[in-house]
Amino acid sequence: MSIKILLAEDDSDFGMILKQYLELEDFEVSWFQNPEDVVSILQTGFNFHIGILDIMMPNIDGFSLAKMILKAKPNFPLLFLTAKNQKIDRLTGLKIGADDYIAKPCDPEELILRIKNILK
């Protein structure tokens, strides 16, 4: 069984590269450029093992999206992957309940190891 990753990333270039890289590592990736699409599947087809969220997205920021996901799925593993690298942002993400917080750009191998460690 492959690991199913929810990827919420509005940047089309970065999202495409990240999705392809994760798929090369045998992850099954569902990429959402619009966070509202993630909210709409929370009640129905939400069968992911982990979520990777950007913070700066249109309409719903990653922090708000994480709160909605964790309200519906309290033990769902989340990882923030974002350009916002200030201490206040990292602390906010971790206080919300994220399992990890990684600043862009990140080393792809490190990202894979962090995902695997969270899912242990």
Side-chain angles (χ1 to χ4, degrees):
M1 178 183 84
S2 63
I3 301 296
K4 295 179 182 173
I5 295 178
L6 177 150
L7 173 61
E9 169 63 61
D10 65 316
D11 181 292
S12 57
D13 292 333
F14 183 73
M16 178 81 65
I17 291 168
L18 183 57
K19 181 180 189 303
Q20 290 174 346
Y21 185 80
L22 292 169
E23 288 173 343
L24 286 173
E25 294 292 321
D26 293 325
F27 292 110
E28 187 178 324
V29 181
S30 294
W31 173 32
F32 300 88
Q33 288 185 270
N34 183 346
E36 292 170 332
D37 294 337
V38 176
V39 174
S40 68
I41 64 162
L42 267 174
Q43 307 306 322
T44 55
F46 198 86
N47 60 346
F48 301 99
H49 296 99
I50 188 169
I52 300 174
L53 310 180
D54 186 15
I55 293 174
M56 295 182 290
M57 294 186 290
N59 304 322
I60 303 172
D61 66 84
F63 290 145
S64 299
L65 181 59
K67 289 175 187 175
M68 289 182 237
I69 291 171
L70 292 173
K71 184 176 181 188
K73 311 282 183 191
N75 296 316
F76 185 70
L78 284 175
L79 183 152
F80 283 111
L81 179 59
T82 181
K84 290 181 71 82
N85 193 25
Q86 293 185 347
K87 179 180 177 182
I88 187 70
D89 297 314
R90 292 191 309 271
L91 292 176
T92 299
L94 294 170
K95 284 178 185 175
I96 287 171
D99 295 276
D100 209 342
Y101 190 108
I102 304 173
K104 293 177 189 171
C106 73
D107 179 79
E109 290 179 63
E110 180 181 353
L111 175 62
I112 298 299
L113 290 172
R114 287 178 184 247
I115 290 169
K116 290 179 178 178
N117 285 342
I118 290 170
L119 293 174
K120 275 188 190 175

